[in-house]
Amino acid sequence: QVQLVESGGGLVQAGGSLRLSCAASGSIFSINDMGWDRQAPGKQRELVALITSGGNTNYADSVKGRFTISRNNAKNTVYLQMNSLKPEDTAVYYCNTNGKTMTMAPFSSWGQGTQVTVSS
């Protein structure tokens, strides 16, 4: 099994910054994509950012220019640097990843979520 542990959420004022981290552990042979989704109260979960094993990135239009996703392959960790935060960024943020386990079985895992609250 592959577990994801997130950290870095919290309360911040509008215009502030937060950095989320997510570390994968367990029976990991390789990791493909790593990403972050978010879900605000009463809204559907949406993709925030994605980074491939090759370093290509994809962002939701609403966060382009403000958020930056990165990864440390040696540590099986993905980061989300969030700058110029807005109240509408308030949500539970979930990290996710996929790849292969040591037995070559495919896996897809999600973190438990971390709350980000931006006050106006």
Side-chain angles (χ1 to χ4, degrees), residues 4-7 9 20 36-37 45 91-95 110-116:
L4 299 179
V5 177
E6 299 149 343
S7 61
L20 305 183
W36 294 90
D37 289 4
R45 187 176 292 196
V92 178
Y93 285 69
Y94 299 91
C95 98
W110 294 83
Q112 78 284 0
T114 186
Q115 177 70 47
V116 171

PDB file of all heavy atoms in Angstrom, residues 4-7 9 20 36-37 45 91-95 110-116:
ATOM      1  N   LEU A   4      -0.205   8.642   1.725  1.00  0.00           N
ATOM      2  CA  LEU A   4       0.155  10.036   1.498  1.00  0.00           C
ATOM      3  C   LEU A   4      -0.129  10.825   2.767  1.00  0.00           C
ATOM      4  O   LEU A   4      -1.223  10.716   3.338  1.00  0.00           O
ATOM      5  CB  LEU A   4      -0.653  10.626   0.339  1.00  0.00           C
ATOM      6  CG  LEU A   4      -0.485   9.960  -1.027  1.00  0.00           C
ATOM      7  CD1 LEU A   4      -1.364  10.661  -2.052  1.00  0.00           C
ATOM      8  CD2 LEU A   4       0.966   9.993  -1.465  1.00  0.00           C
ATOM      9  N   VAL A   5       0.833  11.608   3.181  1.00  0.00           N
ATOM     10  CA  VAL A   5       0.664  12.448   4.369  1.00  0.00           C
ATOM     11  C   VAL A   5       0.887  13.896   3.972  1.00  0.00           C
ATOM     12  O   VAL A   5       1.965  14.259   3.496  1.00  0.00           O
ATOM     13  CB  VAL A   5       1.648  12.050   5.486  1.00  0.00           C
ATOM     14  CG1 VAL A   5       1.487  12.985   6.679  1.00  0.00           C
ATOM     15  CG2 VAL A   5       1.408  10.602   5.901  1.00  0.00           C
ATOM     16  N   GLU A   6      -0.148  14.706   4.195  1.00  0.00           N
ATOM     17  CA  GLU A   6      -0.109  16.120   3.823  1.00  0.00           C
ATOM     18  C   GLU A   6       0.187  16.979   5.037  1.00  0.00           C
ATOM     19  O   GLU A   6      -0.135  16.618   6.167  1.00  0.00           O
ATOM     20  CB  GLU A   6      -1.457  16.530   3.230  1.00  0.00           C
ATOM     21  CG  GLU A   6      -1.837  15.776   1.992  1.00  0.00           C
ATOM     22  CD  GLU A   6      -3.339  15.603   1.851  1.00  0.00           C
ATOM     23  OE1 GLU A   6      -4.042  15.777   2.864  1.00  0.00           O
ATOM     24  OE2 GLU A   6      -3.800  15.291   0.753  1.00  0.00           O
ATOM     25  N   SER A   7       0.750  18.133   4.773  1.00  0.00           N
ATOM     26  CA  SER A   7       0.986  19.110   5.829  1.00  0.00           C
ATOM     27  C   SER A   7       1.050  20.498   5.225  1.00  0.00           C
ATOM     28  O   SER A   7       1.197  20.647   4.002  1.00  0.00           O
ATOM     29  CB  SER A   7       2.292  18.806   6.568  1.00  0.00           C
ATOM     30  OG  SER A   7       3.392  18.861   5.681  1.00  0.00           O
ATOM     31  N   GLY A   9      -1.313  23.138   5.718  1.00  0.00           N
ATOM     32  CA  GLY A   9      -2.525  23.940   5.658  1.00  0.00           C
ATOM     33  C   GLY A   9      -2.642  24.861   6.857  1.00  0.00           C
ATOM     34  O   GLY A   9      -1.842  24.807   7.789  1.00  0.00           O
ATOM     35  N   LEU A  20       2.027  23.839   0.859  1.00  0.00           N
ATOM     36  CA  LEU A  20       1.568  22.504   1.206  1.00  0.00           C
ATOM     37  C   LEU A  20       2.619  21.485   0.793  1.00  0.00           C
ATOM     38  O   LEU A  20       3.274  21.651  -0.242  1.00  0.00           O
ATOM     39  CB  LEU A  20       0.243  22.186   0.518  1.00  0.00           C
ATOM     40  CG  LEU A  20      -0.912  23.167   0.737  1.00  0.00           C
ATOM     41  CD1 LEU A  20      -2.165  22.648   0.030  1.00  0.00           C
ATOM     42  CD2 LEU A  20      -1.169  23.393   2.205  1.00  0.00           C
ATOM     43  N   TRP A  36      -2.577  18.022  -6.866  1.00  0.00           N
ATOM     44  CA  TRP A  36      -3.429  18.540  -5.797  1.00  0.00           C
ATOM     45  C   TRP A  36      -4.817  18.858  -6.354  1.00  0.00           C
ATOM     46  O   TRP A  36      -4.938  19.467  -7.418  1.00  0.00           O
ATOM     47  CB  TRP A  36      -2.830  19.834  -5.220  1.00  0.00           C
ATOM     48  CG  TRP A  36      -1.531  19.638  -4.504  1.00  0.00           C
ATOM     49  CD1 TRP A  36      -0.274  19.698  -5.041  1.00  0.00           C
ATOM     50  CD2 TRP A  36      -1.365  19.346  -3.121  1.00  0.00           C
ATOM     51  NE1 TRP A  36       0.662  19.459  -4.074  1.00  0.00           N
ATOM     52  CE2 TRP A  36       0.025  19.246  -2.889  1.00  0.00           C
ATOM     53  CE3 TRP A  36      -2.241  19.165  -2.050  1.00  0.00           C
ATOM     54  CZ2 TRP A  36       0.549  18.959  -1.616  1.00  0.00           C
ATOM     55  CZ3 TRP A  36      -1.723  18.891  -0.787  1.00  0.00           C
ATOM     56  CH2 TRP A  36      -0.343  18.790  -0.588  1.00  0.00           C
ATOM     57  N   ASP A  37      -5.825  18.416  -5.621  1.00  0.00           N
ATOM     58  CA  ASP A  37      -7.203  18.800  -5.870  1.00  0.00           C
ATOM     59  C   ASP A  37      -7.688  19.600  -4.668  1.00  0.00           C
ATOM     60  O   ASP A  37      -7.045  19.599  -3.617  1.00  0.00           O
ATOM     61  CB  ASP A  37      -8.093  17.566  -6.028  1.00  0.00           C
ATOM     62  CG  ASP A  37      -7.841  16.826  -7.319  1.00  0.00           C
ATOM     63  OD1 ASP A  37      -6.924  17.213  -8.060  1.00  0.00           O
ATOM     64  OD2 ASP A  37      -8.542  15.843  -7.579  1.00  0.00           O
ATOM     65  N   ARG A  45     -15.237  18.746  -6.203  1.00  0.00           N
ATOM     66  CA  ARG A  45     -13.782  18.713  -6.141  1.00  0.00           C
ATOM     67  C   ARG A  45     -13.231  19.105  -7.507  1.00  0.00           C
ATOM     68  O   ARG A  45     -13.755  18.715  -8.553  1.00  0.00           O
ATOM     69  CB  ARG A  45     -13.306  17.313  -5.758  1.00  0.00           C
ATOM     70  CG  ARG A  45     -11.823  17.230  -5.517  1.00  0.00           C
ATOM     71  CD  ARG A  45     -11.393  15.852  -5.037  1.00  0.00           C
ATOM     72  NE  ARG A  45     -11.892  15.549  -3.699  1.00  0.00           N
ATOM     73  CZ  ARG A  45     -11.401  14.568  -2.958  1.00  0.00           C
ATOM     74  NH1 ARG A  45     -10.410  13.816  -3.410  1.00  0.00           N
ATOM     75  NH2 ARG A  45     -11.895  14.327  -1.768  1.00  0.00           N
ATOM     76  N   ALA A  91     -10.609  25.926   0.997  1.00  0.00           N
ATOM     77  CA  ALA A  91     -11.056  24.581   0.635  1.00  0.00           C
ATOM     78  C   ALA A  91     -10.223  23.563   1.411  1.00  0.00           C
ATOM     79  O   ALA A  91      -9.229  23.911   2.051  1.00  0.00           O
ATOM     80  CB  ALA A  91     -10.894  24.337  -0.867  1.00  0.00           C
ATOM     81  N   VAL A  92     -10.643  22.313   1.307  1.00  0.00           N
ATOM     82  CA  VAL A  92      -9.795  21.206   1.748  1.00  0.00           C
ATOM     83  C   VAL A  92      -8.978  20.782   0.533  1.00  0.00           C
ATOM     84  O   VAL A  92      -9.537  20.518  -0.537  1.00  0.00           O
ATOM     85  CB  VAL A  92     -10.619  20.029   2.284  1.00  0.00           C
ATOM     86  CG1 VAL A  92      -9.690  18.881   2.684  1.00  0.00           C
ATOM     87  CG2 VAL A  92     -11.466  20.472   3.474  1.00  0.00           C
ATOM     88  N   TYR A  93      -7.679  20.732   0.708  1.00  0.00           N
ATOM     89  CA  TYR A  93      -6.768  20.381  -0.372  1.00  0.00           C
ATOM     90  C   TYR A  93      -6.304  18.931  -0.197  1.00  0.00           C
ATOM     91  O   TYR A  93      -5.846  18.547   0.885  1.00  0.00           O
ATOM     92  CB  TYR A  93      -5.572  21.327  -0.381  1.00  0.00           C
ATOM     93  CG  TYR A  93      -5.911  22.695  -0.933  1.00  0.00           C
ATOM     94  CD1 TYR A  93      -6.738  23.560  -0.226  1.00  0.00           C
ATOM     95  CD2 TYR A  93      -5.418  23.116  -2.170  1.00  0.00           C
ATOM     96  CE1 TYR A  93      -7.066  24.809  -0.744  1.00  0.00           C
ATOM     97  CE2 TYR A  93      -5.737  24.359  -2.684  1.00  0.00           C
ATOM     98  CZ  TYR A  93      -6.561  25.191  -1.968  1.00  0.00           C
ATOM     99  OH  TYR A  93      -6.892  26.435  -2.481  1.00  0.00           O
ATOM    100  N   TYR A  94      -6.417  18.158  -1.281  1.00  0.00           N
ATOM    101  CA  TYR A  94      -6.053  16.743  -1.269  1.00  0.00           C
ATOM    102  C   TYR A  94      -4.917  16.504  -2.243  1.00  0.00           C
ATOM    103  O   TYR A  94      -4.999  16.917  -3.406  1.00  0.00           O
ATOM    104  CB  TYR A  94      -7.241  15.885  -1.687  1.00  0.00           C
ATOM    105  CG  TYR A  94      -8.459  15.997  -0.805  1.00  0.00           C
ATOM    106  CD1 TYR A  94      -9.441  16.936  -1.078  1.00  0.00           C
ATOM    107  CD2 TYR A  94      -8.636  15.140   0.287  1.00  0.00           C
ATOM    108  CE1 TYR A  94     -10.572  17.036  -0.288  1.00  0.00           C
ATOM    109  CE2 TYR A  94      -9.750  15.236   1.088  1.00  0.00           C
ATOM    110  CZ  TYR A  94     -10.715  16.181   0.798  1.00  0.00           C
ATOM    111  OH  TYR A  94     -11.836  16.280   1.587  1.00  0.00           O
ATOM    112  N   CYS A  95      -3.888  15.818  -1.781  1.00  0.00           N
ATOM    113  CA  CYS A  95      -2.848  15.440  -2.724  1.00  0.00           C
ATOM    114  C   CYS A  95      -3.167  14.052  -3.262  1.00  0.00           C
ATOM    115  O   CYS A  95      -3.889  13.277  -2.627  1.00  0.00           O
ATOM    116  CB  CYS A  95      -1.474  15.534  -2.084  1.00  0.00           C
ATOM    117  SG  CYS A  95      -0.767  14.057  -1.474  1.00  0.00           S
ATOM    118  N   TRP A 110      -4.715   8.768  -2.428  1.00  0.00           N
ATOM    119  CA  TRP A 110      -5.147  10.116  -2.050  1.00  0.00           C
ATOM    120  C   TRP A 110      -4.774  10.383  -0.599  1.00  0.00           C
ATOM    121  O   TRP A 110      -4.805   9.482   0.233  1.00  0.00           O
ATOM    122  CB  TRP A 110      -6.667  10.243  -2.203  1.00  0.00           C
ATOM    123  CG  TRP A 110      -7.114  10.133  -3.614  1.00  0.00           C
ATOM    124  CD1 TRP A 110      -7.337   9.002  -4.323  1.00  0.00           C
ATOM    125  CD2 TRP A 110      -7.365  11.207  -4.517  1.00  0.00           C
ATOM    126  NE1 TRP A 110      -7.720   9.300  -5.604  1.00  0.00           N
ATOM    127  CE2 TRP A 110      -7.750  10.643  -5.757  1.00  0.00           C
ATOM    128  CE3 TRP A 110      -7.327  12.607  -4.396  1.00  0.00           C
ATOM    129  CZ2 TRP A 110      -8.078  11.433  -6.866  1.00  0.00           C
ATOM    130  CZ3 TRP A 110      -7.655  13.386  -5.490  1.00  0.00           C
ATOM    131  CH2 TRP A 110      -8.028  12.802  -6.704  1.00  0.00           C
ATOM    132  N   GLY A 111      -4.457  11.608  -0.315  1.00  0.00           N
ATOM    133  CA  GLY A 111      -4.198  12.022   1.052  1.00  0.00           C
ATOM    134  C   GLY A 111      -5.494  12.257   1.808  1.00  0.00           C
ATOM    135  O   GLY A 111      -6.584  12.209   1.244  1.00  0.00           O
ATOM    136  N   GLN A 112      -5.349  12.535   3.099  1.00  0.00           N
ATOM    137  CA  GLN A 112      -6.527  12.711   3.952  1.00  0.00           C
ATOM    138  C   GLN A 112      -7.108  14.117   3.856  1.00  0.00           C
ATOM    139  O   GLN A 112      -8.225  14.362   4.305  1.00  0.00           O
ATOM    140  CB  GLN A 112      -6.155  12.420   5.415  1.00  0.00           C
ATOM    141  CG  GLN A 112      -5.414  13.542   6.141  1.00  0.00           C
ATOM    142  CD  GLN A 112      -3.952  13.671   5.760  1.00  0.00           C
ATOM    143  OE1 GLN A 112      -3.431  12.914   4.926  1.00  0.00           O
ATOM    144  NE2 GLN A 112      -3.260  14.622   6.361  1.00  0.00           N
ATOM    145  N   GLY A 113      -6.376  15.019   3.242  1.00  0.00           N
ATOM    146  CA  GLY A 113      -6.857  16.388   3.084  1.00  0.00           C
ATOM    147  C   GLY A 113      -6.311  17.317   4.141  1.00  0.00           C
ATOM    148  O   GLY A 113      -6.126  16.929   5.294  1.00  0.00           O
ATOM    149  N   THR A 114      -6.044  18.545   3.742  1.00  0.00           N
ATOM    150  CA  THR A 114      -5.597  19.569   4.682  1.00  0.00           C
ATOM    151  C   THR A 114      -6.390  20.848   4.415  1.00  0.00           C
ATOM    152  O   THR A 114      -6.578  21.236   3.259  1.00  0.00           O
ATOM    153  CB  THR A 114      -4.075  19.811   4.562  1.00  0.00           C
ATOM    154  OG1 THR A 114      -3.653  20.715   5.588  1.00  0.00           O
ATOM    155  CG2 THR A 114      -3.667  20.350   3.206  1.00  0.00           C
ATOM    156  N   GLN A 115      -6.866  21.459   5.479  1.00  0.00           N
ATOM    157  CA  GLN A 115      -7.735  22.628   5.347  1.00  0.00           C
ATOM    158  C   GLN A 115      -6.905  23.881   5.095  1.00  0.00           C
ATOM    159  O   GLN A 115      -5.928  24.151   5.807  1.00  0.00           O
ATOM    160  CB  GLN A 115      -8.563  22.821   6.612  1.00  0.00           C
ATOM    161  CG  GLN A 115      -9.456  24.055   6.604  1.00  0.00           C
ATOM    162  CD  GLN A 115     -10.607  23.950   5.641  1.00  0.00           C
ATOM    163  OE1 GLN A 115     -11.297  22.933   5.594  1.00  0.00           O
ATOM    164  NE2 GLN A 115     -10.838  25.015   4.859  1.00  0.00           N
ATOM    165  N   VAL A 116      -7.321  24.639   4.100  1.00  0.00           N
ATOM    166  CA  VAL A 116      -6.749  25.963   3.833  1.00  0.00           C
ATOM    167  C   VAL A 116      -7.886  26.969   3.942  1.00  0.00           C
ATOM    168  O   VAL A 116      -8.899  26.837   3.258  1.00  0.00           O
ATOM    169  CB  VAL A 116      -6.109  26.033   2.436  1.00  0.00           C
ATOM    170  CG1 VAL A 116      -5.717  27.473   2.106  1.00  0.00           C
ATOM    171  CG2 VAL A 116      -4.893  25.126   2.365  1.00  0.00           C
TER     172      VAL A 116
END
